[in-house]
Amino acid sequence: MSNLSHMPFLFKHNGNKYLLYCEKEKDLSMLIGFEDPHSDTPFPLYTNFIGWAVHIKNLDTGKVKKIPTPESDLDCNPSIFFENGKMLLSYIASNIITHPYSDGDRMQCLKTSLRTIELNEDFSPKLETESVIQDQTWTGIVTDKYVIYRNNESVAGPCSFTVINKDTKEQKTLSAKNQRMTYRTNPIWGEPDKFILTFDMEVAEDYKNASIVIDLNTTQQQLIIRTDDPEMPEGNLDIYKCSILDDKLIYSKKNKYKAGEESGCELIESKYQLVQNNLLKLEYV
């Protein structure tokens, strides 16, 4: 893995442990924005953007390979799930489109959607066509049991998630009123009724990011705390886009930008504990 890797997902398959993640594939030196379904203009993000691609690492053998997605320009938020005996990749796909400003200028824009694609046993795509699960969402997951995606009420601020039980077809709306920005939703392998949410909170003045485990049945939350930071023996709450499996935590550490150097993320392994702490105002509405 390079120092430009993020979005980890830990899972087990056929007796092996795997790490799924995104790694830098290309630079996109252009003005980039997210397409906003509630506006005539996109929400601008960066002038330099990293094009991510999905990779998988066998943690037992160390072997790494890329999982190419045939129809998207860059990929984010990958995870693995199984359905009717098939192995599938869930991910947020982005396609670069041209979006007009109201004054006639033009910018490149990321049109994002939640998609899946079936995989072979060697993790190569089995099909050349991706299935679009939900268009125009910035983060979401498909698991063995659920489809979960963020509703785009606004780019930042209070938001809600659509939660669909694939077995019962029941659809609910989970409201998160006091978060500032959603960074990622991520499944937990072996915990089908729980997922991880990484976010910013306006009330969290002592740390920028937080990651919590949310129980979809009860909406109870557990804060993920790093326990091996020597500078914070009481536990470090600043955890960005992480995954947990057994006693292992892997999170994305954002590198500080320096002039003339690349900025990005690198994946860090750590120990962790879960602490009951209802940081978010969560409720089904």
Side-chain angles (χ1 to χ4, degrees):
M1 290 177 292
S2 73
N3 67 336
L4 288 166
S5 305
H6 75 154
M7 293 285 183
F9 175 69
L10 293 161
F11 71 101
K12 300 176 183 179
H13 183 54
N14 289 340
N16 291 310
K17 293 182 179 180
Y18 291 91
L19 171 64
L20 200 65
Y21 62 98
C22 290
E23 185 165 303
K24 175 189 173 181
E25 176 152 282
K26 55 188 174 183
D27 282 315
L28 303 174
S29 298
M30 60 185 73
L31 184 61
I32 290 290
F34 275 125
E35 186 177 45
D36 187 343
H38 304 287
S39 174
D40 291 334
T41 61
F43 176 74
L45 288 179
Y46 313 103
T47 54
N48 290 282
F49 199 81
I50 294 172
W52 301 102
V54 179
H55 288 69
I56 187 166
K57 180 178 182 179
N58 186 317
L59 296 178
D60 297 301
T61 66
K63 184 179 179 180
V64 175
K65 71 174 296 181
K66 176 185 173 182
I67 302 179
T69 52
E71 296 180 302
S72 59
D73 292 319
L74 54 131
D75 309 312
C76 209
N77 202 37
S79 60
I80 294 288
F81 71 101
F82 290 83
E83 186 175 84
N84 300 323
K86 300 176 181 179
M87 178 168 58
L88 294 101
L89 174 71
S90 166
Y91 60 105
I92 294 293
S94 296
N95 291 100
I96 302 172
I97 64 174
T98 301
H99 198 299
Y101 268 131
S102 58
D103 63 2
D105 291 335
R106 305 181 76 86
M107 72 179 297
Q108 297 300 308
C109 174
L110 294 183
K111 183 176 182 180
T112 61
S113 59
L114 174 60
R115 303 185 195 180
T116 63
I117 190 167
E118 186 179 348
L119 301 178
N120 295 302
E121 275 298 312
D122 65 353
F123 301 106
S124 62
K126 194 169 187 176
L127 305 172
E128 295 183 359
T129 302
E130 305 163 1
S131 297
V132 178
I133 306 302
Q134 178 64 31
D135 203 8
Q136 293 184 330
T137 184
W138 299 316
T139 186
I141 53 176
V142 182
T143 72
D144 298 11
K145 189 173 180 179
Y146 293 99
V147 175
I148 304 170
Y149 56 86
R150 185 189 189 277
N151 300 313
N152 289 350
E153 296 95 343
S154 62
V155 173
C159 72
S160 65
F161 299 87
T162 294
V163 180
I164 303 171
N165 187 309
K166 292 163 62 177
D167 295 327
T168 67
K169 310 303 181 186
E170 181 182 22
Q171 180 170 321
K172 296 180 179 180
T173 299
L174 182 62
S175 173
K177 294 182 178 179
N178 62 324
Q179 64 121 46
R180 188 176 60 143
M181 177 71 78
T182 303
Y183 288 110
R184 189 189 190 190
T185 52
N186 198 22
I188 304 174
W189 187 257
E191 297 277 359
D193 292 310
K194 297 179 180 180
F195 75 100
I196 297 172
L197 177 66
T198 299
F199 60 99
D200 268 355
M201 285 186 61
E202 292 179 305
V203 298
E205 297 179 356
D206 57 337
Y207 55 94
K208 181 178 181 182
N209 306 130
S211 292
I212 57 173
V213 175
I214 297 174
D215 188 314
L216 288 166
N217 291 322
T218 65
T219 69
Q220 290 186 345
Q221 305 158 48
Q222 292 174 294
L223 182 65
I224 304 175
I225 298 177
R226 287 161 38 208
T227 58
D228 55 1
D229 187 340
E231 297 182 2
M232 301 184 70
E234 73 281 6
N236 192 327
L237 311 179
D238 189 359
I239 299 176
Y240 183 64
K241 294 182 178 179
C242 69
S243 181
I244 56 177
L245 180 67
D246 300 331
D247 63 348
K248 185 192 296 289
L249 163 73
I250 293 184
Y251 67 97
S252 305
K253 180 182 178 182
K254 291 187 288 187
N255 298 323
K256 294 182 179 180
Y257 177 77
K258 295 181 180 180
E261 297 182 8
E262 290 182 322
S263 62
C265 293
E266 60 180 323
L267 297 180
I268 304 294
E269 183 176 333
S270 181
K271 298 293 184 181
Y272 75 97
Q273 67 180 20
L274 301 178
V275 177
Q276 198 74 29
N277 191 330
N278 292 327
L279 287 175
L280 285 182
K281 295 176 182 178
L282 290 177
E283 61 179 345
Y284 284 110
V285 295

